[in-house]
Amino acid sequence: MSIRLLLFLLLWPLSVFAQGFAGLGTDAQKFAVPQADPQFDFPADHGPHPEYRIEWWYLTANLTSADGTQYGLQWTLFRTAIAPGEDAGWSSPQVWFAHAAVTTPQAHFATERFARGGVGVAGVQAEPFRAWIDEWAMEGADFDTLTLTAQGPDFAYDMALQAQGPLVFHGQHGFSVKSVEGQASYYYSQPFYKIAGTLILPDGSVEVTGNAWLDREWSSQPLSDNQSGWDWFSLSFDDGAKLMGFQLRQRDGSLYSASTWIGADGRTTAYPDGAFAAQPVAQSDVGGRDVPTTWQVQLPDRGVDVRVEALNTQAWMPLSIPYWEGPVIVEGSHTGVGYLEMTGYE
Amino acid sequence: MTRACFAALASHWRHNPLQLFAFLAGLALATGLWSGVQAINAEARASYDAAAATLGEGQFDQIVPRAGDRIAQQDFVSLRRAGWLVSPIIEGRLDGVRVLGFDPLSSPSGASVGEIAEAGDLDSFLSPGRLYATAETAQALGDGVTVLVEDTVAPGVAVGDIGAVQQLLGRTDLSRLLVQPDQPLRRPALADVAPHLRLQSASQSADVGELTESFHLNLTAFGLLSFAVGLFIVYSTIGLAFEQRRGMVRTLRALGVPLPRLIKLMVVEVVALALVGAGIGVVLGYVIAALLLPDVAGSLRGLYGAEMAGTLQFRVSWWGSGMAIAVLGALAAAGGRLWQIARMPLLASARPRAWAMTLGNAQVAQGVGALGLLLCAGALAVWGSGLVAGFALLGCFLIGAALALPLLVRPVLTLAESTAKSPVARWFWADTRQQLPGLSLALMALLLAISANIGVATMVSSFRLTFVAFLDQRLAPELYVEAETAAQAAQIEAAAPRLGATALPLLVRDTHVAGQPTRLFGVRVGPTYRENWQFLAATPSAWDQVAAGAAAVANEQLARRAGLWVGDRVEVAPDRMLPLAAIVADYGNPLGQLVIGETLFQSLYPEVSARQFGLRTDDPTAVRRAMTDEMGIADSAITDQVALKAFSMGVFDRTFTVTAALNVLTLAVAGFAMLMCLLTLADLRVPQLAPVWALGLTRRRIGQLEVIRALVFAAVVCLFALPVGLGLAWVLLAIINVEAFGWRLPMYLFPADYAGLGAYAILAAGIAAAWPAIRLMRVPPNALLKVFAHEH
């Protein structure tokens, strides 16, 4: 077992984490705990919150090349703290790690990075906005205009992003509850980025354009002990509306769900547990694991009843913490594209 | 009934305490020697592993400063930010302990002390001011530092988080960077990011792998030999005990004890005694290993610059194998005897057969067995392949030779008897011949011990001579310099004469020769090569031909793998065939190499320029200083080969100390086996000696003759041990080493060493015979008279 994996198992006893989810640890210890009715302060809140245990800058994008081929892209920077607060040099209790991936209809490329805080190898600053680990970076004069780069041993990408709409806040004005016991996180998104750039793949470079969705979330509170994993969806419909929905799978078979409907104008409606439903329709063998890669997703209040199918069923992230994450195609009452993340299937 | 039977079995030991001692001591010594060698082996391997895991050196490319031994932390950050996946290492000394700091998050897997993290608490690993080390190292570090005891860390080294170690050493910089094996797609050149740092590839680090493997092989072979000697002792002591109890078995059966129960009880007895003996042996092995360990530790310190703990760990691998072998050996030895007892007619004579009579059929069987084993060894030598076959050959050869010994000694004794004139001499030889069956197991053990000593001494000394020659050959230039750029290379070559040095450029290109991956060298032929290179086979003017571009020299690895030898033609470049003028021995290098002349190399591969230079100079220190100070060559790019040579020899000399100590022990064990046999026989000898005494030979004279007999036996065994030992050495050098490493060690003979060993063996036999002889001398005359009284 690698020291890194152990570190993460130590920090996440349930070995689960994700976009749209804020569970970790067995208790909040001395870390700050999210409170209801938050007052965000931008651009400062785009930066790190070291007094909370975990935080992420999580970007996914659905891309299309000139010949119509679809692609998916992921860039995620995680911050996790061994203790609250910040300290200079190697004494910093902040640990950073990042995942990058590109999915094509035939292939999936994924890689990860790790770094200690305090020495300058990784970090985030709010203004001008800059999030980086090694040579990977998401940066720009402000949060609306960003460049994005990452690379692994066999792929790389350089992208430019331009926000086309406002930030959106999940749950109660950005206070997102994750279980019936009341565990919660601060959670907002920028789902309106236009994105364009170059994917460098083993077969050559591809110019692509598309839409990107950036999630910001931080918390300190534990998962419920009885939660084993989750299925998280971010769907962008062709009519401009968007849907974020997730369900937490409990060990007793029951589910806890939450969702946000985002109008084309950026106006949001948050739905409580039970409004959003996702049913696995078909499973795929992914490296010997059975992973549901086709889903029936419903939000009856908005007349949503769609079939969500993976662009590439083999979008497994074989990293220190393995999970499935990849682009999806939406058909049914609404059509569009999106991203699906599933944990707890390893 | 069971209790009564046990009481009867135990009474035998009560009446023969010496035999009980022999039984237990034989087993203990055999187990002790075996488990001692195993313990050293296990400890050595564990230390290698810990050292390798802790340091991770040689395994990964490293980035080191061009000058000095420090790297600014900002360089690490800049490299990471540029896309170089590197991990920081800081190294220093604290209270004489080597302290190593690393970053668990960025270190390549395999380099970090993963087990520390596994065993310990990571929060605590990343806590400031904490180190991990073995208990012994922790003590050396004193009270000022928080040290958590962790046995998987290499001895003499303390590890900790990079931040903690920086703090303890009072530094803010780093020592070097490890380079991850997988690097991202777009990575700038190192010179563009940090021109003052240089990349040192993993293969350029001193490769000690082959040397340590040789060291292991040496110990493994010794373990096997000591086991063979031990097994003979176990066999002989058990055989003796069972032979002497035939009478008791008959009595017990006559009293109504069922045979199966008796056999079962005797098995239980053997196992119980074996466990006791082996238990003592394991402790003994521990003591042996602990005594030898300082030398082994010395060897390792030389190899790795890391220390091996002076204390042993009680590893299952060695004490378990020692116990298992003792029990299995005892059962195997008892098996044959129990089978005989099972087949023994109820009222058969209880006379102990083996100790009085020749063996007849058994002798034929032994001869057939010996012949079969020797034939098997011959077949393995000719047709066998692989290391297992090599060791099987070793086993067949040794046991076959041992079994053949009594059959070969007998004619020698018969011959001596036929040449004897006086009646006493004739009786002496006849009586010696009569003792042969009783002593044969002890003699076999002695044969194995002496031949093992001869074999291992030959191997180790041959290794040393060869290695010295090899070091002279490969490390002839006093300095070795690696240039960064073509310009720097030209500068070195131009500056050498001014500095009073001769530069020997080395052109290198990786290619394939005869289908084998090969490193092709272009060399400037001169006295350095002519005087120092030793060929395994060569044409008379090999270097002249190489200089003229008319021939090539291949190393042994390439020659053996590609099935080439002197005179065969190889393709050094497309459409350019050259004959091989010589084959050169190349130890400690797994790769194929082919050497051609500098001029030819340049014409074939004009794009390759020399980057590596050997420098011949009388003043290495001054040349080195001039190179670093005036020419700006990185200090780490210059190797002082004189120091390297001295260091390498030191390593081997320590290996020899261990081997010599083990030699003495093996001989001592064989001497003990002989002592025990003679002591047991001494009691049986009284009826045989009584008539000689009655005929007028004094007890003193009889005692002297007994000692002389032991010396004669030892001398004859030494005579036979010499060819067996040399055969053993040949198997080790020419078969096992070739199988293990792909190169054959030339065998050198050391007659003076063998004479010394023979003298020690005869001395051991003399000492072993002395006590029984003294006992015989002190047998009261009435005891000798009683022999005649009992006959009537």
Side-chain angles (χ1 to χ4, degrees), chain B residues 443-457:
Chain B
L443 295 182
M444 288 184 209
L446 188 64
L447 175 86
L448 284 182
I450 301 173
S451 46
N453 283 354
I454 291 177
V456 172

Side-chain angles (χ1 to χ4, degrees), chain A residues 243 261-263 267-269 271 299-305 333-334:
Chain A
L243 171 62
W261 178 263
I262 305 164
R267 286 211 291 203
T268 59
T269 313
Y271 288 93
L299 183 63
D301 195 57
R302 292 284 173 175
V304 174
D305 186 3
S333 64
H334 295 65

Side-chain angles (χ1 to χ4, degrees), chain B residues 720-741:
Chain B
F720 286 110
L722 188 62
V724 176
L726 293 181
L728 171 65
W730 180 80
V731 172
L732 286 174
L733 295 174
I735 296 189
I736 290 190
N737 214 67
V738 172
E739 293 298 347
F741 309 118

